[in-house]
Amino acid sequence: MHDQPCMQFTCGDRVLDLSRRTLLMGIVNVTPDSFSDGGKYFEVERAVAHALALCAEGADLIDVGGESTRPGAEPVPAEEELRRVLPVIEQLVRAVEVPISVDTYKACVAEQALAAGAAIVNDISALRADPDMATVVQRYGAGVVLMHMQGEPRTMQLAPTYHDVVEDIIAFLKERVAACVQKGIPRSRLIVDPGLGFGKTVAHNFEIIRRLAEFRCLQQPILVGPSRKSFVGVVTGLPPEERLEGTAAAVAACVLNGAHVVRVHDVRAMRRVVAVADAIARKGWDQ
């Protein structure tokens, strides 16, 4: 990752330098059914307090989501999603310095979140699910995470197949970047995410991490989200709340193979992991 000294990401009026160190995106799930912490931060006050704690632990961005996208998850109406995330975002933009991301594929949710002060839209559909999303993002000058997903959350893990998982995902993300640019969203506002766990087998996930450097050909920042996911559980035989060490190994591998941003639950621990992995990736440590 460190051979791209000018790699930057623009979100709202902020320009983030991704060339010196890997950034941490802290996860705030305002949901009753997320795979790892569903219900734990469902109340606004708890969600805000959790986000503030993540920032204190070293999060560079906060990602707020109101709809679980775990395998088999059912869609949530936009009104309910807004009821969950909007009060949290409104409080956070006044309380923290870091950019706030809204994890949604619905344009109406993104629009109200951006109007409230969010700066990034993290869209699991890569702006395909809602035809109005690109217009909303362009109007607000938001940053965008374009994620690859085969199928949809309800069905994505039934039988995911690829000709070549990395080559197929690169082709998809290349097309989505081009589509966004055509709709007036500058490349400087785009991050790509190969979508670990979203329509991938355990073997696919490990191959993506192992070959992550190949995504550099897209010439966009790379975000990866391995935190507590089922492929870590398969290898370790542990439930989500006990996957800290397995996640740490995956995060370190992602950093060494080219990730610019990692999306994580456990910011305090992963801040330490990333610090060491960054020092290795830079081929030396410079104070």
Side-chain angles (χ1 to χ4, degrees):
M1 61 174 283
H2 301 289
D3 59 351
Q4 301 183 75
C6 296
M7 187 63 72
Q8 294 180 328
F9 175 57
T10 304
C11 50
D13 58 359
R14 300 280 295 276
V15 179
L16 304 180
D17 182 1
L18 305 177
S19 61
R20 291 189 59 81
R21 65 180 180 87
T22 305
L23 302 189
L24 292 182
M25 174 181 274
I27 300 169
V28 178
N29 290 319
V30 195
T31 60
D33 57 345
S34 291
F35 80 93
S36 175
D37 55 9
K40 195 171 182 181
Y41 308 112
F42 192 42
E43 296 176 0
V44 172
E45 294 76 13
R46 288 191 176 186
V48 171
H50 181 55
L52 293 176
L54 294 180
C55 289
E57 292 171 0
D60 301 289
L61 310 104
I62 294 293
D63 192 38
V64 180
E67 176 178 327
S68 173
T69 51
R70 61 179 170 76
E74 293 293 327
V76 171
E79 296 77 12
E80 173 61 17
E81 191 177 345
L82 279 166
R83 188 190 69 78
R84 297 175 181 180
V85 303
L86 206 54
V88 177
I89 292 170
E90 288 171 343
Q91 291 192 42
L92 287 179
V93 296
R94 296 193 299 266
V96 301
E97 296 289 328
V98 306
I100 305 301
S101 167
V102 59
D103 184 354
T104 188
Y105 55 85
K106 302 182 185 75
C108 61
V109 174
E111 181 157 26
Q112 291 198 44
L114 294 171
I120 301 166
V121 175
N122 183 7
D123 187 343
I124 62 169
S125 79
L127 275 60
R128 294 178 302 155
D130 192 323
D132 297 325
M133 183 66 93
T135 300
V136 168
V137 166
Q138 195 274 340
R139 183 189 312 138
Y140 282 89
V144 187
V145 180
L146 299 172
M147 197 195 79
H148 174 274
M149 173 176 58
Q150 189 175 95
E152 59 181 19
R154 281 180 294 184
T155 61
M156 63 188 179
Q157 290 304 110
L158 294 181
T161 56
Y162 298 87
H163 170 68
D164 179 294
V165 65
V166 172
E167 290 181 3
D168 291 359
I169 295 171
I170 287 173
F172 169 85
L173 292 173
K174 183 176 182 179
E175 184 277 326
R176 295 316 301 156
V177 169
C180 287
V181 171
Q182 188 175 29
K183 292 179 180 179
I185 305 170
R187 291 180 69 105
S188 62
R189 295 185 178 274
L190 303 175
I191 285 182
V192 297
D193 178 354
L196 295 177
F198 285 79
K200 283 90 177 174
T201 64
V202 172
H204 289 148
N205 290 316
F206 285 121
E207 184 170 359
I208 290 166
I209 295 173
R210 193 162 49 243
R211 297 172 58 189
L212 196 64
E214 294 180 35
F215 289 87
R216 292 176 183 171
C217 70
L218 296 167
Q219 298 184 306
Q220 299 295 140
I222 302 165
L223 181 149
V224 190
S227 189
R228 301 183 185 175
K229 286 192 173 170
S230 60
F231 68 89
V232 175
V234 168
V235 172
T236 61
L238 296 170
E241 64 273 14
E242 295 183 37
R243 294 174 186 168
L244 181 66
E245 297 88 351
T247 294
V251 165
C254 289
V255 173
L256 293 173
N257 290 329
H260 297 89
V261 184
V262 287
R263 184 177 180 272
V264 298
H265 298 85
D266 304 288
V267 169
R268 184 188 299 275
M270 295 310 127
R271 178 86 277 160
R272 298 166 181 173
V273 170
V274 166
V276 176
D278 272 341
I280 297 168
R282 284 198 298 268
K283 299 182 176 65
W285 181 56
D286 52 334
Q287 289 182 289

